[in-house]
């Protein structure tokens, strides 16, 4: 970190860049595809229009944002890495850089607990969280009456976006493809790829029966991954409370600020207080490609990944483009990186 940051509550640079994503208002669009890996983000961004030239920012903390237009519609593709904490950085910091509504679709990978082959695409209608209980005595399980893992109640994605994502995937699926698309299912987001997903490693994780327990207790459960629950959770919470909305812009730094990006025309004129208003909405959905079958123990090949990311990525862009956002609920185009030249 080399920029001077102010306000310990929500750190920003003097030119309004948020701490971890490195973005400022005008660099992130209302429609966002979020993915785990930079290569998936670049592949999806290859579908963006040539003009205006897509803006690209790799933050020091590894978040990659690419913003441009898809068939004329402003869209950002943001790669966040892995886990709920990174999803939290992304949703909160992008929200504070943007006025109007947010439509977010995660295109991720997952493991499948039901009898569906690798290459299946799952659009979860809801998610539960699976969290390792650190108060459980893993070294001496007989000495503890706590459960080793906690399973949350389900939280639902946005039903309209869910339908649109499913429809776009069905339309984009190659004609000769045998990939199934499942949408009436539930996903579990775990806080580890290993212990909370029932994988056996050299650590004592008390997870031998976890997958069966999940299948027995979570209705319609099909998949395991690591971020979608937190996305759905934050989207569902948004706008329910009027607290914690800033009325004053954060104090500006007095010292020199050196953003690690090339100069962009992004606007600094929108007061912070008018950006993340509670009367806006956050609508979230997800599509997850089955990379691992936990029943057959198959794992997807690199060739299959490449082919799947191509058509599913295009489908998510199509789905987001189809979502109607009234013009007054958009971030202003003037001064943004998607402004038409
Ligand atoms: C684990 O390999 C990672 O893959 C899945 C999990 O949620 C976790 O982030 O998603 P992504 O492919 O989007 O990263
Ligand atoms: N991502 C996960 O989190 N789990 C899997 O099994 C595969 C991908």
């Amino acid at each position: 970190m080399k920029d001077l940051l102010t306000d310990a509550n929500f750190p920003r640079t003097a030119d309004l860049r948020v701490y971890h994503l490195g973005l400022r208002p005008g660099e992130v669009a209302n429609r966002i595809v979020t993915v785990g890996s930079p290569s998936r983000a670049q592949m999806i961004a290859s579908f963006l229009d040539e003009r205006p030239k897509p803006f690209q920012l790799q933050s020091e903390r590894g978040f990659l944002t690419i913003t441009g237009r898809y068939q004329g519609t402003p869209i950002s593709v943001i790669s966040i890495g892995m886990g709920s904490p990174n999803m939290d950085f992304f949703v909160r910091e992008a929200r504070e850089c943007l006025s109007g509504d947010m439509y977010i679709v995660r295109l991720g990978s997952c493991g499948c607990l039901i009898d569906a082959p690798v290459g299946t695409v799952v659009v979860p209608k809801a998610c539960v969280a699976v969290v390792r209980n650190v108060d459980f005595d893993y070294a001496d399980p007989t000495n503890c009456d706590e459960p080793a893992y906690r399973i949350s109640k389900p939280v639902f994605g946005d039903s309209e976006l869910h339908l649109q994502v499913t429809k776009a995937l069905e339309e984009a699926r190659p004609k000769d493809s045998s990939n199934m698309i499942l949408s009436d299912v539930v996903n579990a987001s775990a806080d580890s790829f290993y212990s909370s997903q029932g994988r056996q490693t050299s650590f004592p994780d008390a997870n031998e029966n976890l997958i069966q327990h999940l299948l027995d207790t979570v209705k319609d459960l099909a998949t395991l991954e690591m971020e979608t629950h937190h996305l759905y959770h934050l989207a569902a919470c948004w706008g329910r409370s009027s607290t914690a909305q800033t009325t004053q812009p954060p104090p500006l730094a007095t010292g020199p600020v050196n953003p690690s990006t090339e100069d962009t025309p992004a606007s600094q004129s929108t007061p912070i207080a008018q950006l993340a208003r509670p009367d806006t909405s956050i609508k979230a959905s997800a599509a997850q490609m089955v990379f691992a079958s936990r029943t057959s123990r198959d794992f997807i090949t690199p060739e299959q990944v490449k082919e799947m990311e191509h058509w599913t990525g295009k489908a998510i862009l199509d789905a987001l483009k189809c979502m109607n956002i009234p013009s007054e609920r958009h971030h202003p185009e003037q001064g943004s990186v998607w402004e038409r030249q």
Side-chain angles (χ1 to χ4, degrees), residues 83-84 128-131 188-193 196-197 224-227:
S84 290
V128 298
V130 184
V131 181
S189 297
D191 63 352
S192 162
F193 180 82
S196 336
Q197 293 190 27
L224 274 167
E225 51 74 78
M226 297 178 65
E227 297 84 13

Side-chain angles (χ1 to χ4, degrees), residues 144-270:
C144 189
D145 54 11
E146 299 253 351
Y149 296 88
R150 296 192 191 280
I151 305 167
S152 76
K153 293 176 187 162
V155 58
F156 284 77
D158 180 74
S159 55
E160 193 191 353
L161 192 52
H162 174 88
L163 283 176
Q164 197 61 57
V165 167
T166 308
K167 181 167 172 272
L169 285 164
E170 276 160 1
E171 286 170 6
R173 176 174 44 185
K175 294 278 170 287
D176 56 351
S177 163
S178 58
N179 302 104
M180 290 195 291
I181 298 169
L182 306 177
S183 60
D184 193 23
V185 290
V186 172
N187 170 68
S189 297
D191 63 352
S192 162
F193 180 82
Y194 297 102
S195 70
S196 336
Q197 293 190 27
R199 289 190 161 91
Q200 306 304 306
T201 71
S202 308
F203 282 83
D205 287 323
N207 64 352
E208 296 76 10
N209 304 318
L210 177 60
I211 288 182
Q212 193 54 53
H213 178 59
L214 284 165
L215 288 166
D216 290 343
T217 51
V218 181
K219 187 170 176 306
D220 298 329
L221 181 65
T223 51
L224 274 167
E225 51 74 78
M226 297 178 65
E227 297 84 13
T228 305
H229 175 272
H230 200 58
L231 172 62
Y232 285 14
H233 168 70
L234 288 178
C237 295
W238 176 254
R240 298 277 165 84
S241 154
S242 58
T243 58
Q245 295 301 317
T246 47
T247 51
Q248 295 292 322
L252 295 183
T254 49
V257 173
N258 304 306
S260 56
T261 56
E262 61 188 72
D263 201 20
T264 70
S267 168
Q268 294 181 36
S269 61
T270 310

Side-chain angles (χ1 to χ4, degrees), residues 17-340:
R17 291 190 182 281
V18 292
Y19 187 15
H20 306 92
L21 270 61
L23 299 170
R24 65 183 180 187
E27 292 177 350
V28 59
N30 299 86
R31 295 172 175 84
I32 304 172
V33 187
T34 181
V35 299
S37 75
S39 64
R40 193 177 306 152
Q42 294 288 4
M43 202 288 305
I44 298 170
S46 70
F47 290 112
L48 297 182
D49 302 345
E50 280 179 22
R51 296 258 159 256
K53 187 170 180 286
F55 159 90
Q56 185 162 323
L57 188 149
Q58 170 85 55
S59 83
E60 187 171 302
R61 292 291 186 163
F63 293 88
L64 171 67
T65 301
I66 306 169
T67 298
R69 286 180 180 265
Y70 173 65
Q71 298 175 1
T73 299
I75 286 194
S76 293
V77 185
I78 304 188
S79 153
I80 66 169
M82 294 180 279
S84 290
N86 276 9
M87 181 58 81
D88 196 78
F89 283 123
F90 152 61
V91 176
R92 290 177 195 273
E93 293 192 3
R95 180 61 279 183
E96 300 295 333
C97 289
L98 190 61
S99 60
D101 295 338
M102 285 177 95
Y103 283 69
I104 306 173
V105 180
R106 164 171 151 74
L107 177 58
S109 64
C110 65
C112 194
L113 302 175
I114 61 172
D115 196 14
V118 296
T120 299
V121 185
V122 170
V123 189
K125 62 182 177 187
C127 290
V128 298
V130 184
V131 181
R132 183 178 169 98
N133 177 8
V134 291
D135 290 331
F136 179 79
D137 191 341
Y138 290 89
D140 184 6
T142 55
N143 188 27
C144 189
D145 54 11
E146 299 253 351
Y149 296 88
R150 296 192 191 280
I151 305 167
S152 76
K153 293 176 187 162
V155 58
F156 284 77
D158 180 74
S159 55
E160 193 191 353
L161 192 52
H162 174 88
L163 283 176
Q164 197 61 57
V165 167
T166 308
K167 181 167 172 272
L169 285 164
E170 276 160 1
E171 286 170 6
R173 176 174 44 185
K175 294 278 170 287
D176 56 351
S177 163
S178 58
N179 302 104
M180 290 195 291
I181 298 169
L182 306 177
S183 60
D184 193 23
V185 290
V186 172
N187 170 68
S189 297
D191 63 352
S192 162
F193 180 82
Y194 297 102
S195 70
S196 336
Q197 293 190 27
R199 289 190 161 91
Q200 306 304 306
T201 71
S202 308
F203 282 83
D205 287 323
N207 64 352
E208 296 76 10
N209 304 318
L210 177 60
I211 288 182
Q212 193 54 53
H213 178 59
L214 284 165
L215 288 166
D216 290 343
T217 51
V218 181
K219 187 170 176 306
D220 298 329
L221 181 65
T223 51
L224 274 167
E225 51 74 78
M226 297 178 65
E227 297 84 13
T228 305
H229 175 272
H230 200 58
L231 172 62
Y232 285 14
H233 168 70
L234 288 178
C237 295
W238 176 254
R240 298 277 165 84
S241 154
S242 58
T243 58
Q245 295 301 317
T246 47
T247 51
Q248 295 292 322
L252 295 183
T254 49
V257 173
N258 304 306
S260 56
T261 56
E262 61 188 72
D263 201 20
T264 70
S267 168
Q268 294 181 36
S269 61
T270 310
I272 294 297
Q274 288 170 20
L275 290 173
R277 290 167 49 126
D279 59 347
T280 55
S281 58
I282 303 181
K283 298 187 187 275
S285 184
Q288 297 167 180
M289 300 167 281
V290 173
F291 278 15
S293 163
R294 300 299 300 278
T295 53
S296 69
R297 302 187 77 149
D298 285 346
F299 206 89
I300 199 165
T301 64
E303 294 73 30
Q304 282 174 296
V305 172
K306 200 168 166 209
E307 191 237 316
M308 285 200 76
E309 288 185 338
H310 192 265
W311 68 265
T312 56
K314 172 99 172 46
I316 302 308
L317 292 171
D318 287 331
L320 282 165
K321 184 182 162 226
C322 282
M323 298 308 290
N324 179 38
I325 308 179
S327 55
E328 70 279 9
R329 299 180 77 87
H330 273 117
H331 192 91
E333 182 174 327
Q334 192 185 3
S336 71
V337 297
W338 61 88
E339 187 172 13
R340 290 181 201 276

